[in-house]
């Protein structure tokens, strides 16, 4: 049978290119493991398990690492075109999930308590209107707080692991963030943004804190967070997220609640 074509390349050629890209990523991770990092050693162990489960096609593994590589240094040009701007889909928070530290299906076990920050980092990517830089800043700040008094081990050991987590997500997380934004946001004209933000926030409060759902209170909150709506919604997820975030094989905890 003739090879399936995708533009000027066959399906088999694309698989080969994907495997080469995968190989470069794995080699980079192996180099860091060889340098003596336990976090990446754990990550590589999970990677090997996934490859054994998915012999031949590599399926979701290629997708996962492809997303990681998309973020390796590229600047996000923005998901919305033609002057439109992102606004939250009305139910986007209902689809959020968190799995502690590590990519989906590759959870990295740690004993310091950093999973609370990793949970926050997971949902931050899915909150419409956040930037990759904002999520990384919040992640680093959270881990610094945890490492002052880790659940176990020394602050130095905790900081070493936190630094590696931070380096990985800064270098490889931009693609994940961009894809999450596409799933969580609609692109609207500027004149339609205020009504969407108002409808979303009021609907959210009606569901999770009805005492805050009056027109006056909603308008006040939006006025105070104007231009930083993504930061506002992230704060709300940390406060109310236990009611709707799906926690996969990890405790349903964030490090601290959001603030309005």
């Amino acid at each position: 049978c003739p090879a399936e074509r995708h533009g000027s390349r066959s399906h088999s050629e694309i698989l080969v290119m994907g495997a080469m890209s995968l190989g470069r990523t794995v080699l980079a991770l192996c180099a860091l493991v060889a340098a003596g990092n336990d976090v990446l050693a754990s990550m590589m162990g999970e990677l090997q398990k996934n490859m054994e489960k998915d012999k031949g096609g590599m399926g979701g593994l290629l997708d996962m690492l492809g997303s990681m590589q998309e973020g390796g240094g590229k600047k996000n040009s923005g998901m919305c075109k033609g002057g439109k701007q992102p606004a939250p889909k009305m139910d986007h928070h209902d689809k959020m999930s968190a799995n502690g530290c590590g990519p989906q299906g590759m959870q990295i076990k740690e004993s310091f308590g950093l999973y609370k920050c990793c949970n926050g980092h997971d949902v931050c990517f899915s909150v419409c209107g956040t930037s990759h830089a904002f999520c990384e800043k919040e992640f680093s700040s959270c881990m610094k707080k945890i490492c002052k008094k880790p659940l176990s081990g020394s602050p130095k050991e905790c900081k070493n692991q936190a630094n590696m987590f931070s380096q990985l997500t800064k270098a490889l997380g931009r693609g994940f963030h961009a894809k999450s934004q596409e799933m969580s946001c609609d692109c609207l004209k500027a004149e339609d943004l205020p009504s969407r933000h108002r409808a979303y926030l009021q609907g959210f409060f009606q569901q999770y804190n009805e005492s805050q759902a009056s027109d006056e209170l909603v308008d006040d909150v939006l006025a105070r967070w104007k231009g930083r709506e993504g930061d506002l919604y992230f704060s709300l997820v940390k406060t109310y997220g236990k009611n709707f975030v799906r926690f996969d094989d990890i405790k349903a905890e964030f490090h601290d609640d959001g603030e309005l």
Side-chain angles (χ1 to χ4, degrees), residues 215-228:
D215 292 345
E216 182 179 357
L217 290 176
V218 168
D219 289 341
D220 177 66
V221 171
L222 286 173
R224 286 189 283 116
W225 290 81
K226 185 175 177 60
R228 298 186 298 124

Side-chain angles (χ1 to χ4, degrees), residues 139-174:
F139 188 37
S140 295
S141 176
C142 178
M143 291 192 292
K144 285 180 181 178
K145 294 176 184 176
I146 291 290
C147 287
K148 288 180 179 179
K149 291 184 178 180
L151 294 180
S152 67
S154 69
K156 182 178 180 180
E157 292 171 328
C158 181
K159 289 177 183 177
N160 287 340
Q161 188 151 10
N163 286 338
M164 182 52 64
F165 283 154
S166 185
Q167 289 171 22
L168 285 171
T169 57
K170 284 179 180 177
L172 302 174
R174 195 179 299 276

Side-chain angles (χ1 to χ4, degrees), residues 24 51 54 70 77 86 118-119 182 193 231 239:
R24 286 193 294 270
M51 291 182 73
D54 191 23
E70 285 178 20
S77 59
C118 294
N119 285 342
E182 290 175 4
L193 285 176
D231 302 4
T239 301

Side-chain angles (χ1 to χ4, degrees), residues 25-26 28-33 37-44 64-65 67-73 101-103 106 108 118 121 125 132 136 139-140 143 160-177:
T25 301
V26 172
L29 292 175
C30 284
L32 289 170
V33 171
N37 188 271
D38 292 337
V39 175
L40 284 171
S42 173
M43 192 172 181
M44 289 300 296
M64 184 273 290
L65 287 174
S67 294
M68 290 167 69
Q69 288 185 310
E70 285 178 20
C101 300
M106 294 176 64
I108 299 171
C118 294
H121 188 258
F125 273 30
H132 179 247
E136 295 309 311
F139 188 37
S140 295
M143 291 192 292
N160 287 340
Q161 188 151 10
N163 286 338
M164 182 52 64
F165 283 154
S166 185
Q167 289 171 22
L168 285 171
T169 57
K170 284 179 180 177
L172 302 174
R174 195 179 299 276
F176 280 130
H177 180 268

Side-chain angles (χ1 to χ4, degrees), residues 190-218:
E191 58 266 29
D192 296 327
L193 285 176
S195 60
R196 171 61 67 86
H197 283 302
R198 193 175 193 279
Y200 175 77
L201 184 59
Q202 192 157 42
F204 186 96
F205 279 140
Q206 286 172 347
Q207 191 169 3
Y208 300 110
N209 187 352
E210 197 167 0
S211 66
Q212 297 291 316
S214 69
D215 292 345
E216 182 179 357
L217 290 176
V218 168

